[in-house]
Amino acid sequence: MPSYHSLEGTFPELTLIKNTTLREKVSRVWTTAQEKGGWTHLEDVPFTMIFPDSGRLVDHTRRITKLALAAAGVRDEKLNTDYLVAGALLHDVGKLLEYEMINGKVDKRRGQTQRHPTIGAALAQEIGLPSEVVLIIAAHSHEGDTMNRTPEAIIVHHCDFIDFEIKKTLQKKGEQKK
Ligand SMILES: [Fe+2]
């Protein structure tokens, strides 16, 4: 299990969370998911298994966090950036329990009963994250389309799809060239 400091090496954006209790809880969710999911290296977790060669989940997570902060930066409303960063960093943490490494290959079998938004939200709730952050995780995907998303949850949801759609489109184009 990585130490808190090594997790900051993986996710430097953790230091942008001003509330240290919240920052520590975000780290704890990641390290607990890593331990429960049996991942030796976080870098082995793919962004998605919906299409091949999607890259690493850690890189996707950092892109969404930076995108979300950029979007929040041009809004006039007073947004809670601690909740925004915490939610962005945690939105896909459930994939550590949805996917698993079997004989050196990533497998999706575990995700057949529950998908990562539900798994991640339940884990975050168990570790005591505020309900505003739990909502960002639960509502970031299409499962959240019928939920009452907060402005922070709306931002993370759309930033996630910006990255997903761009990666999917470029991957398809790459496939056609092969
Ligand atoms: Fe995502």
Side-chain angles (χ1 to χ4, degrees), residues 47 60 64 91-92 95 140 160:
F47 159 26
H60 165 72
I64 300 316
H91 80 281
D92 271 347
K95 285 184 182 171
H140 82 269
D160 189 34

Side-chain angles (χ1 to χ4, degrees), residues 50 94 98 108 111 113-120 140-143:
I50 294 174
E98 183 177 10
K108 209 183 171 178
T113 47
Q114 263 189 316
R115 264 176 35 89
H116 65 275
T118 319
I119 304 168
H140 82 269
S141 56
H142 284 309
E143 282 95 332

Side-chain angles (χ1 to χ4, degrees), residues 11-155:
F11 299 118
E13 293 75 20
L14 269 170
T15 58
L16 300 174
I17 301 173
K18 293 182 269 321
N19 181 313
T20 51
T21 308
L22 179 63
R23 197 192 301 168
E24 279 161 26
K25 281 183 181 174
V26 171
S27 295
R28 212 179 316 148
V29 177
W30 265 100
T31 50
T32 305
Q34 181 173 7
E35 207 182 342
K36 280 190 173 188
W39 295 94
T40 312
H41 306 288
L42 282 182
E43 289 72 16
D44 291 336
V45 188
F47 159 26
T48 182
M49 293 188 72
I50 294 174
F51 53 87
D53 308 322
S54 65
R56 309 184 315 174
L57 181 65
V58 290
D59 297 329
H60 165 72
T61 301
R62 292 196 62 203
R63 282 196 300 274
I64 300 316
T65 309
K66 288 186 263 189
L67 267 173
L69 277 168
V74 296
R75 301 295 313 174
D76 293 331
E77 300 87 3
K78 199 170 162 23
L79 300 168
N80 187 316
T81 49
D82 264 14
Y83 290 164
L84 183 75
V85 173
L89 285 173
L90 289 176
H91 80 281
D92 271 347
V93 73
K95 285 184 182 171
L96 273 64
L97 297 157
E98 183 177 10
Y99 303 158
E100 66 185 312
M101 186 71 91
I102 300 174
N103 299 327
K105 276 190 82 176
V106 182
D107 188 283
K108 209 183 171 178
R109 242 171 295 167
R110 273 202 296 221
Q112 282 172 0
T113 47
Q114 263 189 316
R115 264 176 35 89
H116 65 275
T118 319
I119 304 168
L123 183 62
Q125 187 148 29
E126 198 183 303
I127 289 176
L129 272 291
S131 58
E132 291 87 344
V133 177
V134 174
L135 176 74
I136 294 174
I137 304 166
H140 82 269
S141 56
H142 284 309
E143 282 95 332
D145 290 349
T146 54
M147 294 179 193
N148 288 322
R149 290 188 178 108
T150 56
E152 291 83 359
I154 291 169
I155 289 175

Side-chain angles (χ1 to χ4, degrees), residues 47-48 50-51 60 63-64 67 142 157-173:
F47 159 26
T48 182
I50 294 174
F51 53 87
H60 165 72
R63 282 196 300 274
I64 300 316
L67 267 173
H142 284 309
H157 162 66
H158 286 283
C159 290
D160 189 34
F161 276 86
I162 288 172
D163 196 56
F164 177 80
E165 295 294 342
I166 289 175
K167 277 273 179 190
K168 192 170 74 174
T169 297
L170 293 179
Q171 197 276 335
K172 262 190 209 161
K173 280 188 181 158

